[in-house]
Amino acid sequence: MITLRNIVVPLVAAALVAGCSAPTAAPGEAGPAGDGTTMTLADGYEPDDLNPLLGYGAEGASKFYDGLYARDAQRTLQPALASGPATSSPDRLSWTVPLRPGVTFHDGSAFGPEDVVATYAAILDPARAATIRSSVPMLAGVEAVGDDAVRFRLSYPYGAFPARLTSGILPSEALEGGGPVSDLPVNTRAVGTGPYRLAEWRRGDTMVMESNPSYWGGAPSVTRVTVVFATDDNTRAQRTAAGEFDGTVLPPALARAVAQQSGLALREHASADYRTVALPFANPVTADPAIRAALNRSVNRQGMIDAFLAGQGEPAHHPIPGVLPEQVEPSATFTFDPAEAGRILERAGWVPGPDGVRVRGGQAARFTLMYPATDTVRRDLAQAFASDVRAAGIDVRLEGLGWEAIEPRMGADALVLGGGDPFDPGFKAWQLLHSSNAADGFNNPGSYRNAAVDAALDTALRAPDEAARTAAVKEFQRAYVADPGMVFLAFLGHSYVTRDAWDGYTPVVEPHTHGTTWGPWWNLQDWTPRS
């Protein structure tokens, strides 16, 4: 059993008392800048780059870029740089997208079909190494159709193809010259069509965004946004409570403490954002089916949510989130049953050693679990995981590391991994668990392989309609829990505090991406200062 304790809130509460000596604006008052047209936010995560071909803003809601389509608050696909719905050929092997006229990029150049073609051609070109290539496995090519449309050719029918067209479009000039897209200047100097332009990025410190006066959706009323990067949760909490920031993202318990003591508005969003323990199949311990089955029955998922997430979340058993109940297979769960975990291990020949750690054939049931050192939620979940599975006789050694140290080891050591998509979760499951994506970066990092899982995900990918896709996604869940490749722990609720000085806030179900890109500010371009 994990120990149900949380030492973070009392410590931070004490810190906040000391930190509140600075004047703090009351709810409804203007932010630090005072006139409502500027905003200062704090984020715990700083992007590595601003290139949509490397995954920046891939689910939409980017402030710098527009995709052909975006999602509204109800998760319904809406035209962005497209001027209307995509239409398919009768065999659904091609989709034609009409383009919005009169759009310009931040550098003043006109948007047109050549930009869409150049962007997707770069994604498809292996030599350019676009990391979002796996987001369009069905795409075979793209071509311009006159001056106001593009046509996508697919290698197999994919009924939800327009949902895969939310990544930002780059100007064709930015993609000239070939070479890896990781070498492009837009990595640090974004040029898109989005509602905000990049004014300044001081790495490790701040990013300043200015409104795009020529934005096709209308110039935003919040004209200048400064994002301060502060990785430490307690530091962001104290500085936000002291009135330095108009809002920030925080772990759930901390967000509630800050909101209670500062008068800021608490915003809690449901999400499809899972935390899972990815298990490497190159490791002889975590590759064993009995170990994986026992681990999944040894962890107290609800206990973790209550202890470390202030109840803000729900247990996860696979990557299909409860926020989409129509896609969830009710039988695909693991019961918290340490006794059954022990029986599974006994039947597989894992017997307790003198130190309580199980052993089989001279191999101790021991492995290393990595987590990003600055992420307190992943740290807490890692510690709870290690505590829970120790009771079953499995020894987990924890290592808090930077991503540069984690990524080379993902194939050999376990990792607290995050991800999730409330828009097309079946596709996300394909990226995470299909054998064709084995060892492809954060796609299937442990190289899980299961023929039944592959078959169900392939069926979902090629389903002729939504009903068939949902049936295949449920079959995937049944196949997966019969032979789990990871230990999914929880779908997180995302928590924020924000100064309540603007109109336009609209709650939304979020993907894995959160912070100041999504959160309350996902539709910042529509916000107006409160009079």
Side-chain angles (χ1 to χ4, degrees):
M1 290 284 290
I2 63 172
T3 301
L4 300 184
R5 61 184 172 84
N6 190 338
I7 62 173
V8 175
V9 172
L11 289 175
V12 170
L16 287 175
V17 171
C20 284
S21 57
T24 301
E29 291 183 356
D35 66 0
T37 61
T38 65
M39 181 180 291
T40 301
L41 304 175
D43 204 334
Y45 169 77
E46 182 176 12
D48 294 328
D49 60 76
L50 304 176
N51 188 340
L53 276 61
L54 296 176
Y56 181 80
E59 305 98 345
S62 165
K63 303 297 179 286
F64 301 128
Y65 301 100
D66 295 305
L68 292 174
Y69 295 93
R71 302 277 182 173
D72 63 18
Q74 289 72 45
R75 302 195 300 274
T76 302
L77 208 61
Q78 300 290 348
L81 290 180
S83 62
T87 56
S88 68
S89 60
D91 61 5
R92 295 184 297 120
L93 286 172
S94 72
W95 290 79
T96 301
V97 178
L99 302 182
R100 186 180 296 277
V103 177
T104 57
F105 288 97
H106 297 159
D107 61 3
S109 61
F111 164 74
E114 68 279 6
D115 303 304
V116 181
V117 171
T119 297
Y120 279 92
I123 293 171
L124 290 174
D125 184 354
R128 309 210 68 173
T131 58
I132 66 168
R133 176 69 183 89
S134 67
S135 69
V136 286
M138 70 295 290
L139 182 60
V142 58
E143 60 189 1
V145 181
D147 297 329
D148 58 0
V150 293
R151 180 179 297 126
F152 293 92
R153 293 181 288 103
L154 308 189
S155 55
Y156 54 85
Y158 186 66
F161 180 68
R164 308 250 48 86
L165 300 177
T166 57
S167 295
I169 301 298
L170 289 170
S172 58
E173 296 84 353
L175 293 159
E176 292 176 347
V181 296
S182 59
D183 293 340
L184 294 175
V186 295
N187 291 348
T188 55
R189 300 192 297 274
V191 180
T193 60
Y196 287 89
R197 301 183 297 191
L198 178 65
E200 182 183 24
W201 185 7
R202 299 173 63 185
R203 300 295 290 262
D205 185 13
T206 56
M207 181 181 292
V208 179
M209 302 181 289
E210 293 179 342
S211 63
N212 175 5
S214 302
Y215 187 53
W216 57 266
S221 296
V222 180
T223 58
R224 185 178 177 88
V225 181
T226 301
V227 179
V228 177
F229 300 113
T231 57
D232 184 79
D233 295 334
N234 288 340
T235 297
R236 287 199 314 283
Q238 293 174 41
R239 294 178 65 182
T240 302
E244 288 189 49
F245 307 131
D246 292 300
T248 191
V249 56
L250 291 170
L254 194 50
R256 292 179 185 179
V258 170
Q260 290 173 359
Q261 297 181 44
S262 67
L264 297 174
L266 174 66
R267 308 296 191 191
E268 295 181 325
H269 290 181
S271 86
D273 186 11
Y274 56 73
R275 292 295 177 272
T276 183
V277 175
L279 301 173
F281 278 61
N283 184 303
V285 174
T286 54
D288 184 74
I291 290 286
R292 288 183 274 120
L295 289 172
N296 270 285
R297 290 161 177 82
S298 298
V299 292
N300 184 351
R301 295 171 171 85
Q302 189 60 54
M304 294 180 185
I305 293 167
D306 293 340
F308 303 113
L309 303 178
Q312 177 78 342
E314 63 175 323
H317 306 275
H318 45 66
I320 308 302
V323 294
L324 301 177
E326 70 279 5
Q327 296 196 31
V328 175
E329 167 54 51
S331 67
T333 62
F334 298 100
T335 302
F336 173 48
D337 190 344
E340 176 60 14
R343 289 190 289 271
I344 291 171
L345 293 171
E346 292 285 348
R347 288 195 295 270
W350 291 97
V351 298
D355 58 354
V357 178
R358 292 179 182 270
V359 179
R360 184 178 69 180
Q363 172 73 61
R366 176 178 291 123
F367 62 90
T368 296
L369 174 59
M370 305 180 294
Y371 63 91
T374 60
D375 189 323
T376 58
V377 170
R378 296 197 206 201
R379 179 203 62 196
D380 291 345
L381 292 176
Q383 291 174 344
F385 176 86
S387 176
D388 282 1
V389 305
R390 175 74 189 191
I394 301 173
D395 183 32
V396 174
R397 307 290 174 86
L398 300 178
E399 287 194 44
L401 303 167
W403 285 110
E404 72 286 354
I406 289 174
E407 291 189 41
R409 294 172 50 181
M410 291 193 300
D413 293 315
L415 167 66
V416 182
L417 185 67
D421 183 346
F423 312 122
D424 197 352
F427 186 86
K428 184 64 180 180
W430 177 83
Q431 289 181 301
L432 185 66
L433 292 164
H434 195 280
S435 61
S436 66
N437 296 318
D440 178 20
F442 291 100
N443 294 329
N444 196 356
S447 297
Y448 172 73
R449 299 176 188 277
N450 180 297
V453 166
D454 279 358
L457 291 173
D458 284 339
T459 300
L461 207 62
R462 292 164 172 77
D465 53 45
E466 196 61 34
R469 181 176 298 105
T470 297
V473 168
K474 290 186 176 182
E475 177 56 32
F476 149 70
Q477 293 164 68
R478 291 189 289 269
Y480 173 78
V481 298
D483 178 29
M486 300 183 178
V487 184
F488 286 86
L489 301 175
F491 292 105
L492 308 185
H494 292 165
S495 298
Y496 308 87
V497 289
T498 180
R499 196 173 309 284
D500 203 9
W502 291 269
D503 293 318
Y505 164 71
T506 305
V508 66
V509 177
E510 295 181 8
H512 168 59
T513 307
H514 52 286
T516 56
T517 302
W518 280 80
W521 310 282
W522 72 278
N523 65 334
L524 183 63
Q525 62 271 24
D526 299 326
W527 285 28
T528 56
R530 184 167 296 168
S531 57

